[in-house]
Amino acid sequence: MQSEQAQISDVVVGLTEQLTQRASQNTPDPHNQRREVQAVFADTFNNFKLFYQAALESGFCKARLLSQTSNGLSDVPGLNNYQTEAMIFNTRFGQQPFTIALCESTLEVQLIYKLAIKYNLPIRVRSGGHDHEGECSGNHTILIDTSRIKHFSYDDSSEVACIGAGYRFYQLTPKLAEQGRMIAHGTCATVGLTGFIQGGGWGPWTRKYGMCCEYLVGATVVLGNGEVLEVYDNRSENNGKETPESEILWALRGGGGMSWGIITELRVKTFELPDEIHRFEVSWNQLEKNASDEYVPQKQRPTIEVLKAWEASIESKCTADLLGTNLKVNAIAKEDKNTKEDYQKLYHPCTMYGYWQGTEKDMKQYIDDTFGNIGKNTPKPTVTCTKVGGKVKQAAGMASGQKYHYDHALLSNWARESIADQNVPLHSLLQMQKQAFKPDYDAPAPHKITSKLVEEDGLSEAGYEQLLDTLTSPLIQQESASLGLFSYVTLGAIVGDYYHNLKESETALGVSFPYQKSLYTIQYQTWWNEEIKNKLELQNNPVYVDTNRAMDWISASRSAEIQGAYGAFISFKDASIPTPVYFQQSYNRLVKIKKTYIKDDYNHLRTRKTII
């Protein structure tokens, strides 16, 4: 017989084996864990199939419900419709949505959104597709595309245009010009109005008419629960109290895209077009090729002098005919990173882009008055201009028709280096063509952007030095411009007649755009590959030697202290910047509106830079 001790020993061994087996069962198996995650992912793919079938059964047109397996021929050889529609403006991002739903009405947007929520699928919303961080699309999402919602009407009595969410500026401005009217549009022809106005809406009319969001008086939106709401300022109907409609309208006026619902129509107050409009460029320190075949700036005028003269001009209350302007300053290479440069003796290629209401003669007088007396015996800047709009004289007996000329091309190529042949110094091509620009409808291209704004009191002297220091960097390579890689800032004027004369009242709705008192924006940009063929080539392309350093330059500029600068502009989106920085004093109220009125309990209306 087994002794008592031996029996106990056997029991202990058995218990040890059981515990060991249990421990083994409880120890995670990496392979099984991966399979479990894949199983959940498989459920998501299955939910998409159910979504797709339900959308078709509900009557959504199959030809407008694009996926990788159900697409159709496009007009681009070698690509199907899904592939062509998947491209967004910033080609650094190549997302693959489950489907792209090309909606043509509010009802279709409502249907697709509700089905996506029913089947637990994330959504993205796109009109123009110009989100610089690619947040208008996403992998494994339902992409609700509103670019085909294109109804338009204009009411003479209210001077308000009702505009479908699909309009881009080059499509919209001719319709407004037919009425002799305009809105405070932007500088890029292919930008969609809905994203632009929710970001605030800076452009060539800002000094005279303010940001575009100032003119938004109503909208149709699909809320987080799928309900359709008409928003407008109805406080007068409610004893002056805030309402869901008025609060959402306030949020739409500069509070960023997507947080407040899916817009399908905007109602925007218009203004009368001027009798004569010119666009001009004034250039200093143009690049020229030296003996080493490198492009270096001519030493015509120190950058700091150009910058301060431009600032004085936009702050002046005597420059009302300067409707809008920005100043582009190209970054240049700093050869010796250990040497401290004298910022007052730096020469960067500079170009002022201006938008002038009045005659060419008056415009040239303005340029002479503003820049002609900077320094003695210094060459005058290169000036090019062209008439881009105004009243059209009707000949006797001529049938009545459009009374205003308004050229799409005035929207193009504001500071983007898109006309430069790599063998031609910047701007010399403009001189040969005797015009201010070459039409360029902002073809998609890889790029990175970040931003700051200048406070009401302006930069300190240290701030000027810090700004120019960011533009003189060892991260910028001497050869980059000749390869098609361009790094620069554009300074976009906000201050002008509109904000000089803006009088806030207790009854005014106001805007959520938080930078009305800023002098101007500072937009850091790097773009590469201006030859269309090269924009999508990801290998064996000489420009990619320098792109990593250009991206590092953006990061360094974002982090740089510039005394007198603050914040960031949501239209120049950089996902690395915390969301409250974008919205400043408006942030807390915007969060409250999102939580209280948008009816989006699970935050379906979200991207990385939505309000929450």
Side-chain angles (χ1 to χ4, degrees), residues 105 110 116 331 447 527 549:
S105 67
Q110 191 179 25
H447 62 277
W527 297 74
R549 283 174 286 193

Side-chain angles (χ1 to χ4, degrees), residues 47 50-51 54 111-121 604:
N47 283 350
L50 296 173
F51 160 90
L111 168 68
I112 295 299
Y113 177 72
K114 283 190 169 183
L115 285 175
I117 299 311
K118 176 180 178 181
Y119 290 104
N120 199 27
L121 297 168
H604 297 298

Side-chain angles (χ1 to χ4, degrees), residues 39-54:
V40 174
F41 204 41
D43 285 341
T44 303
F45 273 88
N46 187 59
N47 283 350
F48 164 63
K49 293 177 182 178
L50 296 173
F51 160 90
Y52 190 86
Q53 181 179 350

Side-chain angles (χ1 to χ4, degrees), residues 121-252:
L121 297 168
I123 67 145
R124 291 291 184 270
V125 181
R126 182 180 72 185
S127 58
H130 276 245
D131 186 297
H132 293 295
E133 286 287 357
E135 293 185 0
C136 54
S137 185
N139 290 319
H140 307 128
T141 60
I142 305 302
L143 177 52
I144 300 173
D145 184 292
T146 63
S147 63
R148 298 195 179 192
I149 303 179
K150 281 198 173 75
H151 54 272
F152 174 88
S153 63
Y154 172 72
D155 186 290
D156 259 328
S157 60
S158 65
E159 301 179 338
V160 169
C162 293
I163 304 165
Y167 273 103
R168 300 183 182 205
F169 289 133
Y170 77 94
Q171 300 161 331
L172 177 61
T173 52
K175 291 184 173 294
L176 292 163
E178 287 174 6
Q179 310 293 330
R181 311 294 296 182
M182 195 45 58
I183 64 170
H185 60 70
T187 57
C188 299
T190 56
V191 166
L193 177 61
T194 51
F196 175 77
I197 211 165
Q198 289 179 91
W202 181 90
W205 297 95
T206 297
R207 292 194 73 246
K208 183 72 173 180
Y209 291 104
M211 308 291 283
C212 193
C213 64
E214 305 275 1
Y215 298 87
L216 181 64
V217 297
T220 303
V221 296
V222 178
L223 298 179
N225 63 354
E227 171 190 339
V228 176
L229 184 67
E230 302 295 330
V231 301
Y232 61 104
D233 187 5
N234 61 352
R235 293 171 301 160
S236 61
E237 304 165 18
N238 292 272
N239 299 317
K241 295 180 180 179
E242 295 171 350
T243 67
E245 292 84 359
S246 66
E247 285 292 271
I248 295 172
L249 178 61
W250 179 83
L252 292 174

Side-chain angles (χ1 to χ4, degrees), residues 310-324:
W310 179 82
E311 285 181 334
S313 174
I314 66 172
E315 290 185 78
S316 171
K317 295 185 179 180
C318 301
T319 54
D321 288 336
L322 182 63
L323 301 174

